[in-house]
Amino acid sequence: ALAACGLSATNYCDTSGSPSAEKVATAARLVCGQRHVDGLLFSTCIANQALSVTARGLVAGWEAVNWRKPTVVRFAGNQSEEARGIVRAWLDQNRVKNVIVGEETDEWQAAAHLRSLLDGIARAAA
C-alpha cells in the first residue's frame, strides 16, 4: 500500500495475537523512536481483542518518544470506535497531523492519506 503511493516502509512491526498495551507500546517506541521515520501508518483489525487496549499502547509508546510526526491510524474490529477516540484525542492534543479511519477505509486508502499529510508538510516547508 505504501509503495503504491510512492512511499517506502522503513520499518514494519507485527504484534500478532492478542497483544497487551505494553507490547503495543514497545512496538510503537521501537518504530517511532527512530529519527529517520517521517510518518506512521498503523493499521489493525483484531476481532478477539478490545482495540482500546491497542490504542492505549500506541499512546503510551508515542508519549515515551515524544512522537509528533504525521500519523494515519486505521482501526477495524472490536471497540474500534473507542480506540479511534483514544488515539484521536492524544494526536489532536499534541497537534500531530493525523487521519483516523475505520473499516470503511482499506490499507491503500490509508496509505494515500499518509502521502497527503507528508505532501502537505513538504509544501508548507517550501
Side-chain angles (χ1 to χ4, degrees):
L2 291 171
C5 295
L7 299 172
S8 60
T10 57
N11 202 313
Y12 172 84
C13 187
D14 182 350
T15 57
S16 290
S18 188
S20 64
E22 293 78 19
K23 184 175 183 180
V24 175
T26 298
R29 281 194 311 273
L30 290 171
V31 172
C32 297
Q34 299 175 58
R35 294 180 194 263
H36 69 280
V37 174
D38 295 325
L40 176 69
L41 170 59
F42 179 89
S43 181
T44 188
C45 74
I46 301 173
N48 64 344
Q49 174 182 317
L51 289 174
S52 59
V53 172
T54 302
R56 284 191 286 279
L58 280 175
V59 166
W62 293 338
E63 192 70 36
V65 297
N66 198 32
W67 178 252
R68 299 296 186 271
K69 296 181 182 179
T71 302
V72 175
V73 175
R74 178 184 178 272
F75 280 122
N78 186 10
Q79 291 190 359
S80 60
E81 190 171 321
E82 181 181 348
R84 287 191 297 268
I86 291 166
V87 164
R88 181 178 288 113
W90 189 89
L91 292 168
D92 288 349
Q93 177 184 346
N94 288 284
R95 298 187 175 125
V96 176
K97 293 189 182 303
N98 70 83
V99 175
I100 311 300
V101 297
E103 50 275 341
E104 75 286 349
T105 303
D106 65 27
E107 285 82 5
W108 285 262
Q109 293 166 317
H113 285 303
L114 182 58
R115 171 91 266 173
S116 293
L117 290 176
L118 293 168
D119 287 349
I121 289 171
R123 281 192 300 273

